[in-house]
């Protein structure tokens, strides 16, 4: 029992309150305290035990690592020259391989697209697109207040085929134009009239009730792109024609009953062509200005034409899979509704300066009518060379070959510039080396592991063989000991029998007669003894 003071009583004496340490609460407290001490002791013991295990294991692990490092060091010291020689040969071979693959793939990648084109196309819709049915407004409302009821010709004055840099054949090109609502078209390959003539022949034979095809040339050089329409012969080509040579070409076309269109003036400016000014073109006598090229409108060109009483047209500049965005529209008098005009009617009407031309333009395009399937997938040559082409595209991404605008006469109009992406190329080489080194390390690690495993199995098999040999030797020794013991036992048995004969010879001759037979009996007994001794000696 223990006490502590608690306040004072009435006599100013201290009051005492006893504490019983044996009560339930104190017992619980003591038990908890003891349990905590035990738990702490157990945890300390376990920690010490774990630490002891770690301290025991760590030296073994360290020795194991050191042994492995020693083995690797010994291996590379022994085979280092062979390894580095092998790596050097592999690097040389890899460099040679890249040196062969890279240029071949880049050349194949840069081939003319026509080499990879197929011979079949599909359109995204079987329907014929009609700009009038889709409420596309004709641009010049003042000249065409009644809109589509005032026009009967929907013309595309600018398109290309496989005879130059287009992806569709003349017939496929015709089908595309019919599907997109045109009833007249100018087929204008770069510097060649043959494509237009072929297109005209096909249209007359197969599609005369749907479209008229008029041959022409896109006269292409480093100064301008002019559409020369209504001629059936090629004209002289110049890489850098002078203004005089340009004027002579325009005059020649007019003399053949044709007309001249100046194509995509803004694009020629972007391409870096040294073209004459718009005022110079007007003075040279062009008949039309292309103010819409594919889906780009030249508004300043429209303003210039209105200021100088010069008529304008649109052009799809069709090369491959695309939608139709613009239709050149005008009216041929006395042409029956739904009838297809002839070449003479189209050319004559357009040469008449009183004929108003305009266009219907929709930046959304013909929506659904385009080439559905990529023709490249239909060409066996492309399919066969596709891995090389894809690899060439990969290598081509590390440099830019700026050829400039192609003249279609003699090479590029500007100096060819090659911009190499040095940083990306260095990164490529670095990654190739990193992957190569990682592959080598993985290879040698696998070889080293394989050799270790094999040597371990060989050592085990040797130990097992040695154990077997030892067991066999023991068995042989035991057999030998048994044989020796067996023969010794036999020896002992025979020796004891001879001794018994020597001690008691009367067994054989005690009952023999004494008279007349002594000599014979003695001889017989001696013979028996000698025989027995000879047997024992033989044994």
């Amino acid at each position: 029992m223990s006490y502590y003071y608690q306040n004072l009583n009435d006599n100013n004496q201290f009051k005492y309150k006893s504490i019983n340490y044996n009560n339930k609460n104190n017992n619980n407290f003591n038990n908890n305290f003891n349990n905590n001490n035990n738990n702490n002791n157990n945890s300390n013991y376990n920690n010490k035990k774990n630490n002891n295990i770690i301290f025991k294991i760590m030296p073994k692990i360290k020795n194991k690592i050191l042994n492995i490092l020693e083995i690797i060091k010994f291996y590379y010291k022994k085979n280092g020259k062979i390894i580095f020689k092998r790596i050097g040969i592999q690097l040389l071979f890899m460099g040679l391989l890249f040196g062969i693959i890279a240029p071949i793939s880049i050349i194949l990648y840069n081939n003319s697209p026509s080499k990879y084109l197929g011979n079949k196309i599909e359109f995204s819709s079987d329907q014929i697109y009609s700009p009038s049915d889709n409420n596309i407004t004709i641009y010049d409302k003042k000249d065409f207040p009644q809109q589509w009821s005032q026009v009967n010709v929907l013309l595309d004055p600018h398109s290309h085929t496989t005879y130059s840099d287009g992806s569709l054949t003349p017939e496929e090109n015709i089908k595309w134009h019919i599907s997109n609502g045109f009833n007249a078209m100018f087929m204008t390959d770069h510097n060649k009239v043959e494509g237009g003539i072929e297109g005209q022949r096909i249209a007359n034979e197969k599609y005369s009730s749907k479209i008229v095809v008029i041959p022409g040339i896109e006269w292409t050089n480093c100064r301008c792109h002019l559409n020369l329409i209504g001629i059936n012969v090629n004209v002289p080509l110049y890489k850098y024609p002078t203004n005089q040579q340009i004027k002579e070409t325009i005059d020649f076309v007019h003399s053949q009953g044709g007309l001249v269109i100046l194509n995509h003036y803004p694009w020629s400016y972007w391409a870096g062509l040294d073209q004459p000014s718009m005022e110079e073109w007007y003075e040279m006598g062009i008949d039309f200005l292309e103010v819409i090229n594919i889906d780009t409108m030249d508004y300043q060109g429209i303003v210039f034409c209105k200021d100088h009483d010069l008529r304008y047209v649109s052009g799809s500049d069709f090369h491959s899979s695309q939608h139709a965005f613009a239709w050149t529209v005008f009216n041929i008098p006395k042409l029956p509704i739904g009838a297809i005009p002839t070449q003479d009617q189209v050319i004559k009407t357009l040469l008449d300066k009183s004929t108003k031309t305009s266009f219907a333009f929709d930046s959304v395009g013909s929506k659904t009518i385009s080439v559905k399937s990529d023709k490249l997938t239909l060409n066996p040559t492309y399919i066969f060379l596709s891995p090389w082409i894809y690899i060439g595209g990969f290598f081509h991404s590390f440099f830019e070959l700026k050829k400039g605008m192609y003249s279609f006469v003699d090479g590029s109009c500007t100096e060819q510039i090659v911009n190499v992406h040095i940083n990306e190329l260095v990164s490529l080489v670095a990654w190739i080396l990193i992957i190569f080194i990682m592959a080598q390390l993985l290879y040698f690690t696998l070889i080293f592991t394989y050799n270790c495993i094999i040597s371990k199995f060989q050592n085990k098999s040797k130990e097992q063989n040695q154990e077997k040999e030892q067991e066999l030797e023991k068995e042989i020794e035991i057999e030998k000991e048994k044989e020796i013991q067996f023969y010794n036992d036999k020896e002992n048995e025979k020796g004891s029998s001879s001794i018994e004969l020597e001690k008691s010879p009367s067994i054989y001759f005690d009952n023999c007669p004494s008279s007349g037979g002594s000599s014979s009996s003695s001889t017989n007994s001696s013979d028996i003894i000698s025989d027995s001794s000879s047997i024992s000696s033989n044994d």
Side-chain angles (χ1 to χ4, degrees):
M1 187 75 68
S2 179
Y3 300 90
Y4 68 92
Y5 300 109
Q6 184 179 13
N7 299 328
L8 297 174
N9 58 20
D10 295 336
N11 298 322
N12 290 326
Q13 294 176 338
F14 286 111
K15 293 190 296 181
Y16 299 102
K17 186 176 180 179
S18 63
I19 298 174
N20 187 1
Y21 287 106
N22 294 322
N23 62 23
K24 186 177 180 181
N25 292 331
N26 290 333
N27 287 336
N28 288 336
F29 173 80
N30 291 332
N31 289 334
N32 291 334
F33 180 78
N34 291 330
N35 288 334
N36 288 333
N37 284 337
N38 290 332
N39 290 333
N40 290 333
N41 291 332
N42 290 332
S43 63
N44 290 333
Y45 174 76
N46 290 330
N47 289 333
K48 285 180 180 179
K49 189 176 180 181
N50 292 333
N51 290 334
N52 291 332
I53 292 168
I54 292 168
F55 285 128
K56 286 179 181 179
I57 292 171
M58 284 301 292
K60 291 181 180 179
I61 295 171
K62 183 180 177 182
N63 292 332
K64 203 76 174 174
I65 292 169
L66 290 173
N67 289 335
I68 291 168
L69 291 174
E70 283 295 325
I71 292 167
I72 294 169
K73 186 179 177 181
F74 174 77
Y75 179 79
Y76 280 103
K77 190 175 180 181
K78 185 180 178 182
N79 304 303
K81 289 183 179 180
I82 298 170
I83 290 167
F84 284 113
K85 186 179 179 181
R86 187 185 300 164
I87 290 172
I89 292 169
Q90 289 175 356
L91 283 171
L92 186 65
F93 176 76
M94 190 170 64
L96 185 65
L97 196 65
F98 274 103
I100 294 170
I101 290 173
I104 292 173
S105 61
I106 289 169
I107 289 168
L108 292 173
Y109 176 80
N110 285 298
N111 264 343
S112 171
S114 60
K115 291 187 178 181
Y116 302 136
L117 296 176
N119 54 9
K120 294 180 181 178
I121 63 166
E122 295 178 6
F123 294 107
S124 56
S125 175
D126 295 331
Q127 299 176 354
I128 294 176
Y129 182 82
S130 172
S132 61
D133 293 344
N134 284 273
N135 298 319
I136 299 175
T137 305
I138 295 173
Y139 180 73
D140 294 284
K141 289 184 177 181
K142 288 183 180 180
D143 295 329
F144 300 91
Q146 297 177 13
Q147 291 289 294
W148 293 102
S149 61
Q150 285 184 260
V151 299
N152 51 21
V153 178
L154 283 76
L155 169 70
D156 180 15
H158 189 179
S159 64
H160 299 273
T161 72
T162 51
Y163 276 76
S164 59
D165 61 344
S167 64
L168 302 187
T169 64
E171 185 169 2
E172 291 166 347
N173 198 321
I174 291 168
K175 289 179 179 179
W176 182 88
H177 280 85
I178 292 171
S179 297
N180 282 282
F182 295 98
N183 63 0
M185 64 176 292
F186 298 159
M187 198 168 283
T188 54
D189 282 306
H190 293 283
N191 295 339
K192 292 179 181 179
V193 75
E194 289 79 9
I197 293 172
E198 177 65 12
Q200 185 183 49
R201 182 191 68 77
I202 293 169
N204 291 338
E205 290 178 0
K206 297 183 178 182
Y207 307 102
S208 59
S209 63
K210 296 180 179 179
I211 197 168
V212 59
V213 176
I214 300 170
I217 296 172
E218 185 172 16
W219 193 56
T220 309
N221 50 62
C222 293
R223 292 205 69 203
C224 63
H225 287 204
L226 289 178
N227 269 1
L228 313 179
I229 308 301
I231 61 173
N232 293 320
V233 294
N234 291 319
V235 297
L237 303 177
Y238 311 96
K239 187 173 184 178
Y240 294 97
T242 63
N243 283 10
Q244 181 61 35
Q245 289 170 329
I246 294 172
K247 181 71 169 71
E248 289 173 357
T249 303
I250 293 173
D251 291 343
F252 171 77
V253 174
H254 287 157
S255 69
Q256 298 294 310
L259 54 90
V260 178
I261 304 170
L262 174 61
N263 291 336
H264 47 62
Y265 186 86
W267 182 90
S268 298
Y269 175 81
W270 302 330
L273 303 187
D274 184 21
Q275 57 185 339
S277 65
M278 284 300 303
E279 287 76 11
E280 288 174 320
W281 282 117
Y282 182 75
E283 293 296 327
M284 290 179 193
I286 59 172
D287 299 295
F288 294 91
L289 175 66
E290 185 184 73
V291 294
I292 293 180
N293 181 259
I294 309 177
D295 58 354
T296 302
M297 178 186 287
D298 176 15
Y299 180 74
Q300 295 303 319
I302 294 172
V303 172
F304 180 87
C305 288
K306 289 186 177 294
D307 291 344
H308 293 79
D309 197 22
L310 180 66
R311 292 173 296 169
Y312 45 76
V313 294
S314 63
S316 71
D317 200 359
F318 184 85
H319 283 81
S320 58
S321 175
Q322 66 188 57
H323 297 281
F325 296 94
W327 295 258
T328 298
V329 295
F330 62 95
N331 186 65
I332 296 177
K334 298 181 181 180
L335 182 69
I337 297 172
I340 301 301
T342 64
Q343 177 176 330
D344 290 339
Q345 287 175 319
V346 172
I347 297 296
K348 184 179 178 180
T349 304
L350 289 175
L351 285 174
D352 184 357
K353 292 190 176 181
S354 65
T355 301
K356 300 292 184 181
T357 63
S358 187
F359 57 84
F361 175 67
D362 182 10
S363 58
V364 175
S366 54
K367 299 179 179 68
T368 58
I369 310 300
S370 64
V371 179
K372 181 181 178 182
S373 59
D374 192 345
K375 289 183 65 181
L376 297 179
T377 61
L378 304 175
N379 187 318
T381 303
Y382 178 84
I383 293 169
F384 178 72
L385 295 175
S386 57
W388 287 92
I389 295 167
Y390 296 148
I391 293 169
F394 168 75
F395 284 117
H396 214 290
S397 63
F398 293 94
F399 72 94
E400 293 176 41
L401 180 60
K402 294 184 177 180
K403 297 179 179 180
M405 172 59 202
Y406 186 56
S407 67
F408 287 92
V409 178
D410 181 21
S412 178
C413 293
T414 56
E415 183 183 358
Q416 292 192 12
I417 301 171
V418 179
N419 289 334
V420 180
H421 302 159
I422 301 293
N423 293 335
E424 288 83 352
L425 198 59
V426 170
S427 178
L428 173 65
V429 173
W431 273 108
I432 289 171
L433 290 174
I434 289 168
I435 293 168
F436 176 80
I437 290 166
M438 289 173 67
Q440 291 294 327
L441 288 172
L442 180 63
Y443 170 76
F444 286 116
T445 302
L446 290 174
I447 292 294
F448 177 75
T449 306
Y450 173 78
N451 290 333
C452 287
I453 292 168
I454 292 297
S455 63
K456 217 166 194 181
F457 278 113
Q458 286 176 349
N459 291 334
K460 280 188 177 180
S461 63
K462 282 181 181 179
E463 289 175 359
Q464 289 174 356
N465 291 334
Q466 287 176 357
E467 288 176 359
K468 286 181 180 179
E469 287 176 359
Q470 289 175 359
E471 287 177 359
L472 284 171
E473 287 176 358
K474 285 180 180 179
E475 288 178 0
I476 291 166
E477 287 178 0
I478 291 166
E479 288 294 327
K480 283 182 179 180
E481 288 177 358
K482 285 181 178 179
E483 287 180 3
I484 293 167
Q485 185 66 34
F486 175 77
Y487 285 113
N488 288 336
D489 292 343
K490 281 240 177 186
E491 286 276 340
N492 293 332
E493 286 177 3
K494 289 176 181 178
S496 62
S497 64
S498 63
I499 290 166
E500 286 177 359
L501 285 173
E502 288 176 359
K503 284 183 178 180
S504 56
S506 60
I507 296 171
Y508 299 99
F509 48 83
D510 275 349
N511 298 321
C512 292
S514 58
S515 60
S518 62
S519 62
S520 63
S521 63
S522 63
T523 54
N524 287 334
S525 63
S526 63
D527 288 339
I528 291 167
I529 293 166
S530 63
D531 286 340
S532 64
S533 62
S534 65
I535 289 167
S536 64
S537 64
N538 286 332
D539 290 339

